[in-house]
Amino acid sequence: MRVFSLILVSLMMSACATGMGKDPLFKYADIQIANLTGATISNVRIEVGPGGRTLECASVLYNELCQQRFNAIPYPDQPVQLSWVGSNGTQNSKQLLLQVLPEFPPGIILQIVVNIKSDGSVQSSLQPDDWS
């Protein structure tokens, strides 16, 4: 019995370790980056965790979006890396920690929404995908 318990605990720990970083209950199908800086920004890039999507836009005009839609894929529940070059040539980089809100029902398709503001701050969230 003791050997069985030890094997069971080992299997459970292994399952947790291999499943870490992916939340199979949630998927995402859209990434939107809004330029609210007051000027054109360039070299906009967002990488959604390891194994997730990467979106790049050469330039994004003021009040415009850098956006990509795709077939829904599992949300990796990992930090998101965002970078861009401001109108003054300054390289900016932020690590975003997006959390699935508890009120989202399992199976809902999400979209990643990022707003780059004029002071260089970034507002980001996961929201229900309007098109799914």
Side-chain angles (χ1 to χ4, degrees):
M1 183 67 163
R2 183 171 230 142
V3 172
F4 176 74
S5 296
L6 185 58
I7 291 172
L8 183 60
V9 168
S10 296
L11 287 173
M12 288 173 53
M13 289 175 60
S14 175
C16 289
T18 57
M20 233 166 76
K22 294 254 186 208
D23 190 340
L25 299 177
F26 298 98
K27 294 183 176 187
Y28 70 111
D30 187 20
I31 301 172
Q32 298 179 12
I33 305 169
N35 175 8
L36 306 178
T37 64
T40 299
I41 57 177
S42 60
N43 299 327
V44 179
R45 184 178 198 280
I46 189 167
E47 183 178 350
V48 184
R53 283 281 193 190
T54 298
L55 169 61
E56 296 178 347
C57 294
S59 66
V60 183
L61 301 174
Y62 171 59
N63 274 345
E64 294 291 327
L65 290 177
C66 173
Q67 180 177 18
Q68 182 181 47
R69 292 200 53 77
F70 41 88
N71 291 330
I73 59 174
Y75 177 64
D77 197 21
Q78 296 285 326
V80 173
Q81 277 301 132
L82 172 69
S83 62
W84 74 97
V85 175
S87 61
N88 61 359
T90 303
Q91 176 72 36
N92 299 278
S93 182
K94 303 277 183 188
Q95 185 176 61
L96 311 174
L97 300 173
L98 304 175
Q99 295 184 343
V100 177
L101 298 178
E103 60 263 21
F104 291 159
I108 190 170
I109 306 296
L110 302 169
Q111 62 184 353
I112 296 172
V113 178
V114 177
N115 296 320
I116 302 174
K117 299 184 175 189
S118 59
D119 63 358
S121 66
V122 174
Q123 179 186 22
S124 59
S125 63
L126 288 168
Q127 300 176 4
D129 185 21
D130 299 331
W131 298 97
S132 297

